[in-house]
Amino acid sequence: NTALLMGWHMLVGLYRMTGDAKSAEVAAKHVAHLTSVPPPIVQAKVLFGDGEVDEAEMQIRRFLLEFGDHPEAMRLLAQIGHMRNVLDDAETLYAGVLAMVPDHYEARREYVQVLIARHKFPQAREALEPLLKVDPAAHPHRIQAATIQVGLGDFEGAIPDYRAMLGEIPGDSPSARLRRSDLNLWLGHALKTEGRTAEAIEAYMAATADRPDFGDAWWSLANLKTYRFTDASIAVMRERLDDAATAETDRIHIAFALGKALEDKGDYAASWAAYEQGNTMHRASNGYIPGFFETNTREQKRVCTAPFFAERAGWGLDDRSPIFVLGLPRSGSTLIEQILASHSMVEGTQELPDVQRIVHELQGRELNFDDPRYPGILSELDAAAIRAFGEQYIADTMPNRALGRPHFIDKMPNNFRHVGLIHLILPNARIIDARRDPMACCFSNFKQLFAQGQEFTYGIEDIARYYRTYVELMDHWDAVLPGRVLRVQHEDVIDDLEGSVRRILDYCGLPFEEACVEFHKTKRSVRTPSSEQVRQPIFRDGLDQWKNFEPWLEPLRTALGPELVKL
């Protein structure tokens, strides 16, 4: 708890006794800072540090109401907002703190982190500049700078920065090993995205050498999809998975990695047990509410009718540059993206958060799961507001369009929930629904550990419910917006690549280019779990992998129902 004044007082003396003058100076600065802050703020900081967040928030709000703006009170409220993922409030509060105290470097570092979390990378880069000027050698600032580079798609530029920092960490202390393991993980991610697989493997293995219980590094190796674990690595993962001292999040990552390793070995029973263990642990803590998406689907069908769209014909921004590739994760969307990004007129970007950002703005801050504000609020918007959202989307996505091509891809899968919104604000954008065999798609999601989101994937019943609702909603869009969405079946692309490529390009209004058929030769950054697979020619190996687990998948088949399984 960094707000305990007496603890810092004692540390000053202990550091001086041990001759650590630098640490004594840092502790003394904390003492001076806490002494200068009004006692109610310190008390609220202590509560926050002890995990009593609600009480801390109440106390700090009372202080602000009584005494007015105070940078430390506003900073604490911003920290609480960041922790609770109320990022717009946190951003506003930090901006207020820095307007009052521009050289509050700790608040500035936290502000940069919020901007990164909001994917506001150009703004984050600007906010970080003063910190880099004051201390250009500091690893925390350089790590943020590298994260911003990665967010803007400059993976190649971040790689030498990660390597340089690795070379600056001396010794073999626990602290040094921990710092190196994190840097090697981030380095591995950048190398993987750039297609430098052998170097990525080396970085991930270095991370596991420094931290054998580093679940994220083990899972990153598995998530390459093409990597095969040695027996020695499998033994280490088993040991760390069974070790009660291993942190829960590391155990979850290791369970999924072990499931992939054992699947590749052909030990499907043990692989299933590991996948099931990882899913069970994750599902217990992720707070997923299945009914929320089903309520949203009912509301989309109620609000977004054919007459609703007919009344708003001609609204929105006439911009033909976006191509949305959406659907469920693990449905073949990365392959479609790679095909399109191989075209000279199309730029591949990433899973852009900008539609979700507009949705959050429309939803408001007070979420009501039973009676959500969105999508009902769409009926209250006039033509000017709808057009403004289209302009906002195009402006916000511009930093991702480094190549300046006429078209770009937004591959956020969850955008299938918002086809109605997309059609309203960007009526001439192209929308492609990536579809895959239900059993194959659902099982592929079950064995995938996502970096964030997609919380429906950690239970067989949850996955089946989500898939059924997805099909229901896509059927609705087909009914009220006939011909608006192009459905691309993954198995059809595998069976007839050139025919599928021509169909996709025709829909997008693009001339045929042979490079789209030879998509695996295209050199570009690919961020998704399928990055290594789309760098290879078409292969059928993955189509029926789920059948190896058929003895355990009957509940999935039953939950999907006979109509879907026949698709």
Side-chain angles (χ1 to χ4, degrees):
N1 188 334
T2 57
L4 295 175
L5 179 60
M6 188 53 64
W8 288 113
H9 267 302
M10 296 176 71
L11 276 171
V12 172
L14 286 167
Y15 281 133
R16 285 175 179 164
M17 288 169 62
T18 58
D20 189 347
K22 186 175 180 181
S23 296
E25 182 183 355
V26 170
K29 285 181 179 178
H30 279 281
V31 170
H33 169 69
L34 290 171
T35 303
S36 71
V37 173
I41 299 178
V42 176
Q43 291 165 8
K45 283 176 173 285
V46 170
L47 289 167
F48 180 66
D50 284 343
E52 297 182 43
V53 182
D54 290 341
E55 184 60 35
E57 182 177 5
M58 289 172 57
Q59 186 157 319
I60 209 68
R61 286 189 183 278
R62 282 197 300 267
F63 176 87
L64 286 166
L65 284 170
E66 186 173 350
F67 296 99
D69 288 348
H70 187 287
E72 280 306 314
M74 293 163 64
R75 179 189 172 204
L76 178 57
L77 201 55
Q79 290 170 332
I80 292 171
H82 191 183
M83 188 195 74
R84 289 181 165 159
N85 207 36
V86 188
L87 299 178
D88 51 349
D89 278 3
E91 180 184 344
T92 301
L93 285 161
Y94 278 125
V97 171
L98 293 173
M100 298 167 69
V101 191
D103 59 352
H104 194 319
Y105 296 127
E106 289 184 344
R108 181 171 292 278
R109 178 180 54 79
E110 294 163 6
Y111 177 50
V112 170
Q113 210 58 38
V114 168
L115 292 171
I116 289 171
R118 298 201 74 192
H119 294 261
K120 292 188 171 184
F121 298 111
Q123 298 93 321
R125 182 171 53 192
E126 182 180 350
L128 181 62
E129 277 303 312
L131 296 178
L132 289 170
K133 286 179 181 176
V134 169
D135 193 353
H139 280 202
H141 308 334
R142 291 162 65 189
I143 288 168
Q144 285 188 323
T147 303
I148 292 165
Q149 280 183 289
V150 165
L152 291 169
D154 183 13
F155 295 89
E156 202 64 55
I159 289 169
D161 293 339
Y162 287 135
R163 291 199 190 280
M165 284 186 277
L166 280 165
E168 294 166 10
I169 301 175
D172 201 38
S173 67
S175 172
R177 290 198 299 271
L178 184 64
R179 291 166 62 198
R180 277 200 304 266
S181 64
D182 284 338
L183 282 167
N184 268 310
L185 179 75
W186 301 326
L187 172 62
H189 291 342
L191 291 165
K192 169 198 170 183
T193 305
E194 287 298 300
R196 295 162 62 174
T197 309
E199 294 174 84
I201 291 170
E202 185 179 334
Y204 291 141
M205 289 302 295
T208 65
D210 272 322
R211 261 192 67 196
D213 63 350
F214 196 2
D216 205 344
W218 289 115
W219 169 244
S220 296
L221 286 164
N223 207 27
L224 290 169
K225 308 302 182 187
T226 55
Y227 179 75
R228 297 297 177 261
F229 287 94
T230 64
D231 290 340
S233 291
I234 291 173
V236 173
M237 286 193 288
R238 285 188 190 276
E239 178 186 348
R240 298 295 173 165
L241 180 60
D242 294 337
D243 189 343
T246 302
E248 182 81 352
T249 184
D250 287 311
R251 294 181 70 230
I252 291 170
H253 282 78
I254 291 170
F256 277 92
L258 185 59
K260 178 65 168 67
L262 295 170
E263 180 182 357
D264 292 336
K265 292 278 188 183
D267 189 349
Y268 300 117
S271 172
W272 175 264
Y275 284 138
E276 193 168 44
Q277 182 179 358
N279 276 283
T280 300
M281 286 191 290
H282 198 296
R283 182 66 180 88
S285 60
N286 69 14
Y288 175 62
I289 304 172
F292 176 63
F293 173 50
E294 292 162 353
T295 299
N296 178 268
T297 298
R298 285 194 297 272
E299 284 297 291
Q300 294 282 2
K301 293 172 68 174
R302 181 184 67 82
V303 174
C304 298
T305 62
F308 172 84
F309 289 119
E311 291 168 7
R312 291 159 177 78
W315 289 19
L317 182 67
D318 182 13
D319 192 310
R320 300 170 186 271
S321 59
I323 302 173
F324 293 90
V325 180
L326 43 78
L328 292 195
R330 313 299 297 143
S331 62
S333 57
T334 303
L335 176 57
I336 296 171
E337 177 194 39
Q338 183 76 353
I339 288 168
L340 282 166
S342 300
H343 197 282
S344 62
M345 297 174 67
V346 182
E347 182 166 358
T349 57
Q350 55 177 306
E351 296 180 357
L352 301 175
D354 301 279
V355 169
Q356 311 293 320
R357 193 175 291 144
I358 293 171
V359 170
H360 290 156
E361 188 174 335
L362 291 169
Q363 281 178 167
R365 295 175 185 174
E366 299 298 325
L367 294 182
N368 185 333
F369 292 115
D370 298 319
D371 185 19
R373 188 164 177 257
Y374 167 86
I377 194 174
L378 292 176
S379 61
E380 301 174 20
L381 302 178
D382 60 17
I386 292 292
R387 180 183 175 85
F389 279 123
E391 292 170 345
Q392 176 183 326
Y393 175 86
I394 294 300
D396 288 350
T397 55
M398 194 59 70
N400 295 280
R401 300 175 64 180
L403 302 179
R405 292 179 178 177
H407 300 276
F408 70 99
I409 305 164
D410 181 340
K411 202 188 77 68
M412 177 62 76
N414 297 338
N415 283 339
F416 79 85
R417 306 177 191 173
H418 312 298
V419 167
L421 171 64
I422 292 170
H423 174 73
L424 281 176
I425 68 174
L426 296 162
N428 293 306
R430 294 294 183 260
I431 306 172
I432 299 173
D433 172 30
R435 187 74 63 91
R436 186 180 177 190
D437 171 82
M439 290 293 289
C441 185
C442 290
F443 174 65
S444 187
N445 275 285
F446 184 74
K447 66 177 187 173
Q448 180 68 39
L449 178 60
F450 293 93
Q452 60 183 0
Q454 314 302 359
E455 303 297 2
F456 72 92
T457 65
Y458 300 101
I460 289 296
E461 178 62 31
D462 290 340
I463 293 172
R465 283 179 67 174
Y466 196 90
Y467 193 99
R468 289 199 311 266
T469 312
Y470 151 71
V471 171
E472 176 189 348
L473 185 53
M474 293 311 301
D475 287 347
H476 172 73
W477 299 132
D478 288 344
V480 300
L481 296 169
R484 185 71 178 86
V485 178
L486 177 71
R487 180 151 304 115
V488 177
Q489 192 72 32
H490 180 63
E491 292 76 14
D492 292 344
V493 179
I494 302 299
D495 290 338
D496 180 14
L497 176 60
E498 183 170 333
S500 297
V501 168
R502 289 184 180 277
R503 179 170 171 259
I504 292 168
L505 295 180
D506 284 348
Y507 168 76
C508 294
L510 296 167
F512 177 78
E513 290 183 2
E514 190 65 34
C516 296
V517 177
E518 298 183 339
F519 61 86
H520 56 283
K521 297 180 181 178
T522 301
K523 303 296 184 186
R524 57 178 288 265
S525 302
V526 184
R527 304 189 188 206
T528 66
S530 302
S531 60
E532 293 309 298
Q533 292 159 311
V534 298
R535 293 187 174 112
Q536 304 171 30
I538 286 286
F539 60 93
R540 301 185 56 85
D541 296 0
L543 290 182
D544 297 325
Q545 283 181 346
W546 68 271
K547 292 184 178 179
N548 295 320
F549 295 84
E550 236 174 334
W552 303 278
L553 288 175
E554 194 57 38
L556 174 61
R557 184 187 297 277
T558 301
L560 283 167
E563 291 186 8
L564 281 181
V565 173
K566 287 179 183 176
L567 287 179

